[in-house]
Amino acid sequence: MKFQTEGKSNSMKKKTVLVLGATGNLGAYSAIALNEAGYDVIASGQRKSDNGFFEDFDIPYYSIDITKKDDFKCLEHSTIDIVANFAGQLPSRDQFDPQGLIRTITEATLNVLEFMREQGANKIIFPTTPYDLSYLHDTGEPMLPDAERSYPPTGDHSIYTIAKNAAVDLIEHYHNEYGISRFIFRFFTIYQYHPNAYHFADTKMRKMPYRMLMEKASKGEPIVIHGNPERVKELVYIKDFVQAIVKAADSDLAGGFYNIAAKERVTLEQMIRGIVDVFSPADNRSEISYDRTQPDTLQTMLDMSKTQKELGYQPQYSYIDMLKDIKKEMVEEPFAKLWNTGEYYEKLYGELKHK
């Protein structure tokens, strides 16, 4: 599995990265990419077992619940330089649980920072949420990385954003107090193939919209574009995202806030037509129609000039290249040993698509 992350670590000393949440969507790809970039990687997740997945890459795996300080004792004899923390509940993957969000994001981040301080680890990579700038989402302008943070007053992302903001504030304190460099990444949905195409939206489980569109296109079913088809989307591919993770690990900077954006923005219409071009059979292409009476999709635009200038981040995947690679991974199932297969999740959740 090669990600071509555009750069290897040039350190004389091989550094060790602890990837928390390594069994999740972002963590698994990031752990492999960091390993390929020449880092010693330690993978951890809340799961008791990774089914031997990371062993195939000579990466040790530890079961760590970051809400429990004692769980970190299994690493007390390890020398860790960098922590990439992808652990914590997500409103899209878990039933809505306000206390769980605070516990697994805010309180757990404090546990992580204390572990780092005690171990002498001097860099943290942490994903925040674009909903900390929700008041800028519909301005029609790319959002700047250092814009003033806030949170949406209502909705399933409100407490999630509050928890993320508090975690970021703790990280900033540890940066100022103890000199821990920090790379806070902001991004919208990271697109990838995960065998589980289902998530929670407004507390209900349903198939993710882009996966539903891919399924419809593959069957040649008609697709309706809702709202304004010219709304712009920032569609970042996982194999570009991990390039940013490696570049942050390589960086000698003190860090800050960085937006992760795509090689190219696409309109909603371009997004759907691309899915039809890649996934529909040549002899049974989905017909596209429009319903402008429906609500507009969220417009997602991020200014990544700081990320390019300071980290040298240059996304490689065009939108169509991303779709083709997702289609390839749907067949190959490269993480099946860790995540199981698409067939498994369809049997588990498939009846929901009829509701």
Side-chain angles (χ1 to χ4, degrees):
M1 190 182 303
K2 297 293 183 183
F3 291 158
Q4 297 178 340
T5 50
E6 293 278 309
K8 306 285 185 180
S9 174
N10 294 318
S11 300
M12 296 296 291
K13 171 183 173 291
K14 201 173 187 182
K15 292 185 177 181
T16 299
V17 184
L18 170 63
V19 178
L20 301 170
T23 59
N25 295 33
L26 305 182
Y29 278 91
S30 295
I32 302 305
L34 287 161
N35 177 262
E36 289 180 356
Y39 287 92
D40 283 332
V41 175
I42 298 173
S44 78
Q46 192 173 2
R47 282 171 42 172
K48 294 300 180 185
S49 171
D50 67 332
N51 297 326
F53 174 81
F54 288 108
E55 185 179 359
D56 293 342
F57 299 89
D58 295 321
I59 296 173
Y61 175 80
Y62 294 88
S63 177
I64 298 175
D65 181 344
I66 64 172
T67 67
K68 301 174 181 177
K69 293 183 72 173
D70 285 348
D71 272 22
F72 288 91
K73 288 182 178 178
C74 64
L75 300 173
E76 60 187 5
H77 298 299
S78 302
T79 299
I80 294 167
D81 302 290
I82 303 166
V83 174
N85 181 13
F86 301 106
Q89 287 187 12
L90 292 168
S92 61
R93 283 295 184 190
D94 304 281
Q95 285 279 16
F96 183 63
D97 176 10
Q99 289 181 320
L101 292 170
I102 298 296
R103 185 178 65 253
T104 65
I105 297 172
T106 308
E107 294 178 6
T109 296
L110 182 57
N111 290 342
V112 172
L113 290 165
E114 274 295 283
F115 167 76
M116 292 178 66
R117 182 184 63 80
E118 293 167 359
Q119 286 281 312
N122 58 10
K123 180 185 295 185
I124 186 168
I125 300 169
F126 184 79
T128 190
T129 169
Y131 286 87
D132 67 350
L133 301 181
S134 60
Y135 67 98
L136 297 175
H137 284 186
D138 283 317
T139 63
E141 297 292 332
M143 295 181 287
L144 297 174
D146 295 305
E148 183 177 357
R149 290 179 289 131
S150 182
Y151 64 92
T154 60
D156 63 350
H157 276 66
S158 181
I159 293 178
Y160 174 67
T161 306
I162 291 168
K164 281 286 190 181
N165 279 342
V168 167
D169 289 340
L170 287 168
I171 291 170
E172 285 294 287
H173 168 68
Y174 274 70
H175 164 69
N176 292 315
E177 188 75 19
Y178 302 109
I180 293 174
S181 62
R182 74 286 189 233
F183 292 79
I184 311 297
F185 285 162
R186 181 186 292 109
F187 46 87
F188 286 93
T189 300
I190 301 297
Y191 286 76
Q192 66 182 109
Y193 171 68
H194 190 289
N196 183 5
Y198 294 86
H199 71 161
F200 286 97
D202 295 323
T203 73
K204 294 181 180 179
M205 182 170 277
R206 58 195 70 182
K207 183 162 280 190
M208 289 183 279
Y210 78 95
R211 294 293 293 275
M212 187 164 52
L213 290 168
M214 291 173 180
E215 182 180 287
K216 282 179 171 289
S218 68
K219 296 177 180 178
E221 296 177 356
I223 295 175
V224 180
I225 298 178
H226 289 174
N228 180 359
E230 297 303 313
R231 299 279 280 186
V232 174
K233 309 292 285 182
E234 197 85 71
L235 308 179
V236 179
Y237 191 37
I238 185 66
K239 294 179 182 178
D240 279 328
F241 174 81
V242 297
Q243 178 204 142
I245 299 299
V246 172
K247 296 219 180 260
D250 288 347
S251 177
D252 293 326
L253 298 175
F257 290 84
Y258 299 92
N259 289 338
I260 309 300
K263 182 178 182 179
E264 57 189 6
R265 297 190 185 106
V266 299
T267 64
L268 177 60
E269 180 160 15
Q270 289 171 330
M271 174 186 175
I272 292 177
R273 290 194 178 277
I275 288 173
V276 171
D277 288 344
V278 172
F279 286 89
S280 276
D283 59 349
N284 187 28
R285 288 173 58 85
S286 295
E287 292 186 4
I288 297 173
S289 59
Y290 304 84
D291 185 352
R292 292 178 179 267
T293 67
Q294 296 297 318
D296 289 336
T297 186
L298 175 68
Q299 184 156 260
T300 60
M301 300 171 67
L302 292 168
D303 184 311
M304 66 172 173
S305 57
K306 179 182 175 183
T307 317
Q308 292 174 308
K309 180 180 179 181
E310 294 192 5
L311 300 184
Y313 170 66
Q314 294 293 342
Q316 302 298 306
Y317 283 80
S318 70
Y319 174 57
I320 295 300
D321 289 340
M322 176 186 81
L323 292 178
K324 290 178 178 177
D325 203 58
I326 288 175
K327 186 177 181 180
K328 180 172 175 281
E329 292 208 344
M330 284 180 172
V331 175
E332 296 177 351
E333 300 267 20
F335 288 83
K337 191 172 183 178
L338 181 65
W339 292 334
N340 218 312
T341 64
E343 182 181 5
Y344 167 81
Y345 289 102
E346 282 302 318
K347 288 179 179 178
L348 193 63
Y349 300 126
E351 70 276 4
L352 293 172
K353 66 187 175 184
H354 300 299
K355 294 184 179 180

